[in-house]
Amino acid sequence: MQQTDSKPLRSEAGSIIRPGTEIIGAASVVGGREHEGPLGDRFDFYNPKDRFGEDTWEKAESEMQRMALSAAMHKAGVREEEVDLLFAGDLLNQCVGSSYGLEAYKIPYLGLYGACSTSAEGLLLASAMVGAGYASCAAAVTSSHNAAAERQFRTPLEYGGQRPQSGQWTVTGAGAFIITPACSKGGCPIYAPGVKPLARVSAALPGLVLDRGVTDPNNMGAAMAPAAESTLCRFFAASGTGPDNYDLIVTGDLGWEGSRILCDLMDTHGYDIRKKHNDCGMMIYTKNTQDTHSGGSGCGCGATVLASYLLPKLAAGEIHRLLFMATGALMSPDSVKQGLSIPGVAHLLCLEAPGAQV
Amino acid sequence: MQQTDSKPLRSEAGSIIRPGTEIIGAASVVGGREHEGPLGDRFDFYNPKDRFGEDTWEKAESEMQRMALSAAMHKAGVREEEVDLLFAGDLLNQCVGSSYGLEAYKIPYLGLYGACSTSAEGLLLASAMVGAGYASCAAAVTSSHNAAAERQFRTPLEYGGQRPQSGQWTVTGAGAFIITPACSKGGCPIYAPGVKPLARVSAALPGLVLDRGVTDPNNMGAAMAPAAESTLCRFFAASGTGPDNYDLIVTGDLGWEGSRILCDLMDTHGYDIRKKHNDCGMMIYTKNTQDTHSGGSGCGCGATVLASYLLPKLAAGEIHRLLFMATGALMSPDSVKQGLSIPGVAHLLCLEAPGAQV
């Protein structure tokens, strides 16, 4: 598709997707440690022992996904047969948390892998498919489970391995979201009694894969921060906005270590995001008392904080415009052992309060 | 979104996506055994030792992805900066074949996991995003590598493990596809000199996850055949068509075992697909001399056969309407060891010759 002139189809800053959809339901399911954290009472369900009635950690993760989607559909007043598409993913090998967790639902299923960026990736694609009219309702579900992730990525919990202070704690949690067309797009759904939209998905920007040479799997924040920097700068440039245009800029799970790096990196572009930035990995645990070192991580981190805390703030009008940017580290234990550095990716969503001006 | 009447938004048969896009470039990269098969001369690149100049099988798989996308873009006359979106996935844990293989490209990246269905999933989503106008050009890339898959899913090749006759041989190969709007949709791209569309993506249908209780990881065909049956029946019902409306119905990698099961299952619905059906896993190897037992499998199986053999047939007008349905088995080695049965999924694309009537 070479153009007759030299102008590329895509600007350097990339293409912003503007689906104009609404999130009409969201639910979160977490484990014991997350319930003990600052957001504890806001999650829809928790299990203090992280077992969820199952006999393996992996099945517990699947059960969290099943519960999260069920609760989100219930809160949105949507029946299973009304959901046209389901996007889901998790951290387990071959994403079995999602496939086993959601196989009970008769909803066309598209599996994703974006590591901890999967929550934003799923919301982006679900919104795009609904915004395009290919689906009248879509769902996005993601999860992670600390015990399942530890034995897969590092060592089983029973081993009692020590982690450095830059290490993060994989969140035990699942989040689910229900997307429909926005009323302003002419496809206004008939909400169930009492159901109101939580937020409008006004823009989305998929991220580039960036590898800045970080090889330490105990410092994911450092590996993912450059990807967050890239996506945020591309979005500001393409949208003509800056930090002042948003009430909050929330990253998925950079943790304390990665968040500090991101703020420093954004300084080099002339963007001071410190007053607006927060990170789901910093919000979900108490810094000094919960022993999670650099904070939370995992597909379930951003998803549960968005579902339980950020979306209700938008729905209540406490904040009006939110940039939510989930970050993922796209390595595997094998790639790390083979000496490869860790690529990162960050996908961005601009979420607005439902009543805000279009 | 409860409706005031009881009619669900989605019919039982599901929603067909009609992107109306075109595949304008495709490329395939394979290993030695695939080159020795019946389609050997049709692949764009091959490496007889499956190493591709790399020192690990995993890096070899990444290199195949990089080569495939590079070749597809070259054949389509598209520059990297003209591709708005890249969908990719593979079988390796955390999909590192894709993330490391494609990190060199500055193209917004959305990772997928659909096991061997990923080729169709990527094409479906790339087509949908282009059809919706969210991207003016998108790419889909998938791969698998026999040696990398064997040591991850079963045992390292050096172990010399025996496989039953129902077992399949993971294809060493990568396929890449470039999608643009179709001229008939008013977004006609200016093709580079000599570039002609290979096929039109006239319809797509994402599959349901189905688990019929198969627990034998050496019989993926049996695990995936019910998913193929489900998607094909849903598509026939929703489109009002049947096997007679298509020149070929090609599954991704059911192999000889799974293909027989699919044909039998379709009989029970009154559809005799035997005269129209073929399977990429049966096409890529010679049955009796290549010792692959039930045939090829893997994300690279359907992708390389589609790129090298099926799309050129459509482009040449030898066939006019093709149903391409890649099938995936969504288990992991751990889920099998934990005694879980194997869920399958199948995503369908209806591809038409570029000159065929819209």
Side-chain angles (χ1 to χ4, degrees):
Chain A
M1 203 171 47
Q2 278 165 350
Q3 299 295 288
T4 43
D5 59 14
S6 65
K7 188 174 170 290
L9 290 174
R10 171 163 62 95
S11 69
E12 179 63 30
S15 302
I16 294 178
I17 294 163
R18 297 195 181 277
T21 51
E22 284 177 348
I23 302 174
I24 64 159
S28 55
V29 180
V30 298
R33 189 178 292 245
E34 293 70 27
H35 178 68
E36 292 163 5
L39 307 178
D41 291 335
R42 298 171 188 269
F43 301 114
D44 294 297
F45 299 99
Y46 79 102
N47 180 283
K49 296 288 185 193
D50 300 0
R51 296 294 290 261
F52 293 91
E54 300 292 340
D55 58 0
T56 72
W57 301 122
E58 291 77 13
K59 282 200 263 183
E61 179 165 349
S62 291
E63 176 61 11
M64 286 196 298
Q65 284 219 6
R66 194 197 63 72
M67 290 172 68
L69 178 55
S70 174
M73 289 194 297
H74 179 76
K75 289 164 85 172
V78 170
R79 295 191 304 263
E80 180 183 341
E81 59 268 28
E82 291 172 323
V83 182
D84 288 325
L85 274 179
L86 173 53
F87 291 91
D90 59 87
L91 294 177
L92 295 179
N93 294 342
Q94 288 73 57
C95 302
V96 289
S98 306
S99 55
Y100 287 98
L102 305 174
E103 68 176 357
Y105 296 101
K106 285 184 183 150
I107 307 173
Y109 174 93
L110 294 162
L112 306 177
Y113 187 77
C116 309
S117 73
T118 308
S119 56
E121 184 183 354
L123 279 165
L124 183 156
L125 285 170
S127 297
M129 295 299 276
V130 169
Y134 292 133
S136 44
C137 179
V141 191
T142 45
S143 67
S144 51
H145 192 296
N146 182 271
E150 284 300 312
R151 69 178 174 188
Q152 178 183 282
F153 285 101
R154 285 165 284 266
T155 52
L157 294 184
E158 295 84 346
Y159 182 81
Q162 300 290 305
R163 295 175 308 124
Q165 289 299 314
S166 61
Q168 289 174 247
W169 187 272
T170 304
V171 164
T172 298
F177 306 90
I178 308 293
I179 313 277
T180 58
C183 288
S184 58
K185 286 199 79 176
C188 191
I190 300 159
Y191 298 113
V195 172
K196 288 180 183 171
L198 298 166
R200 199 171 67 248
V201 184
S202 61
L205 186 68
L208 304 171
V209 177
L210 280 186
D211 188 337
R212 289 282 183 266
V214 173
T215 54
D216 180 0
N218 282 308
N219 195 344
M220 293 297 183
M224 299 188 291
E229 170 204 12
S230 157
T231 301
L232 198 50
C233 286
R234 286 170 58 225
F235 184 76
F236 284 157
S239 64
T241 64
D244 292 344
N245 296 98
Y246 304 94
D247 297 312
L248 271 178
I249 299 169
V250 178
T251 42
D253 58 344
L254 295 177
W256 278 282
E257 177 82 2
S259 292
R260 188 183 54 74
I261 296 171
L262 174 62
C263 290
D264 288 350
L265 289 171
M266 292 305 291
D267 278 342
T268 67
H269 302 281
Y271 294 119
D272 182 359
I273 64 167
R274 284 184 182 78
K275 286 181 186 160
K276 300 297 177 78
H277 177 261
N278 208 336
D279 182 84
C280 298
M282 300 175 355
M283 296 156 85
I284 197 166
Y285 299 123
T286 307
K287 186 172 186 181
N288 294 321
T289 58
Q290 284 199 286
D291 195 28
T292 60
H293 297 1
S294 187
S297 67
C299 295
C301 181
T304 55
V305 173
L306 182 62
S308 67
Y309 180 67
L310 297 170
L311 287 177
K313 276 180 101 71
L314 281 164
E318 293 172 31
I319 55 173
H320 300 284
R321 294 180 94 188
L322 162 72
L323 293 185
F324 175 77
M325 188 167 49
T327 47
L330 299 174
M331 86 299 168
S332 77
D334 287 342
S335 72
V336 170
K337 285 176 199 153
Q338 291 178 357
L340 299 181
S341 51
I342 300 171
V345 72
H347 304 301
L348 179 146
L349 295 166
C350 179
L351 303 175
E352 303 192 15
Q357 197 178 351
V358 180
Chain B
M1 200 172 45
Q2 275 164 351
Q3 301 294 287
T4 43
D5 59 13
S6 66
K7 187 173 171 290
L9 291 175
R10 171 164 62 94
S11 70
E12 179 64 30
S15 302
I16 294 178
I17 294 164
R18 296 196 182 276
T21 51
E22 284 176 349
I23 303 174
I24 64 159
S28 55
V29 181
V30 298
R33 189 178 292 245
E34 293 70 28
H35 177 68
E36 292 163 5
L39 305 179
D41 291 335
R42 298 173 187 268
F43 301 114
D44 294 296
F45 299 100
Y46 79 102
N47 180 284
K49 297 288 184 193
D50 300 1
R51 297 294 289 263
F52 294 91
E54 300 291 341
D55 58 0
T56 72
W57 300 123
E58 291 76 13
K59 282 199 263 183
E61 179 164 349
S62 291
E63 177 61 11
M64 287 195 298
Q65 284 220 7
R66 194 197 62 74
M67 290 171 69
L69 178 56
S70 174
M73 289 194 297
H74 179 76
K75 289 164 84 171
V78 170
R79 296 192 303 265
E80 180 183 339
E81 60 269 28
E82 291 172 323
V83 183
D84 288 327
L85 274 179
L86 173 53
F87 290 91
D90 58 88
L91 294 176
L92 295 179
N93 293 341
Q94 287 74 56
C95 301
V96 288
S98 306
S99 55
Y100 286 97
L102 304 174
E103 67 175 358
Y105 296 101
K106 284 184 184 151
I107 306 173
Y109 173 94
L110 293 162
L112 306 177
Y113 187 78
C116 309
S117 74
T118 308
S119 57
E121 184 184 354
L123 279 165
L124 183 156
L125 285 170
S127 297
M129 294 300 274
V130 169
Y134 293 133
S136 44
C137 178
V141 191
T142 46
S143 67
S144 51
H145 192 297
N146 182 272
E150 284 300 311
R151 70 178 174 185
Q152 178 183 283
F153 284 101
R154 285 164 285 266
T155 52
L157 293 184
E158 295 83 346
Y159 183 81
Q162 300 290 307
R163 295 176 307 126
Q165 290 298 316
S166 61
Q168 290 174 249
W169 187 272
T170 304
V171 164
T172 298
F177 306 90
I178 309 292
I179 314 277
T180 58
C183 288
S184 58
K185 285 199 79 175
C188 189
I190 300 159
Y191 297 114
V195 173
K196 288 180 183 171
L198 297 166
R200 201 172 64 248
V201 184
S202 62
L205 186 67
L208 304 172
V209 177
L210 281 185
D211 189 336
R212 290 283 185 263
V214 173
T215 54
D216 181 0
N218 283 308
N219 196 342
M220 293 297 182
M224 298 188 291
E229 170 204 12
S230 155
T231 301
L232 198 51
C233 287
R234 287 171 56 225
F235 184 76
F236 285 155
S239 64
T241 64
D244 293 343
N245 296 97
Y246 304 95
D247 298 310
L248 272 177
I249 299 169
V250 178
T251 42
D253 59 343
L254 294 178
W256 278 282
E257 177 82 2
S259 291
R260 189 183 54 72
I261 296 171
L262 174 63
C263 290
D264 288 350
L265 288 171
M266 292 305 291
D267 279 342
T268 66
H269 302 281
Y271 294 118
D272 182 358
I273 63 166
R274 284 184 182 76
K275 285 182 187 161
K276 300 297 178 81
H277 178 260
N278 208 335
D279 182 84
C280 298
M282 301 178 348
M283 297 157 85
I284 197 165
Y285 299 124
T286 306
K287 185 172 186 181
N288 295 322
T289 58
Q290 284 200 288
D291 195 27
T292 60
H293 298 359
S294 186
S297 67
C299 296
C301 182
T304 56
V305 173
L306 181 63
S308 67
Y309 180 68
L310 297 170
L311 286 177
K313 276 181 101 71
L314 281 164
E318 293 173 30
I319 55 173
H320 299 284
R321 293 180 97 189
L322 162 71
L323 293 186
F324 175 77
M325 189 167 48
T327 46
L330 299 174
M331 87 301 169
S332 76
D334 287 341
S335 72
V336 170
K337 284 176 201 154
Q338 291 178 356
L340 299 181
S341 51
I342 300 171
V345 72
H347 304 302
L348 179 145
L349 296 166
C350 178
L351 303 174
E352 302 193 14
Q357 197 178 351
V358 179

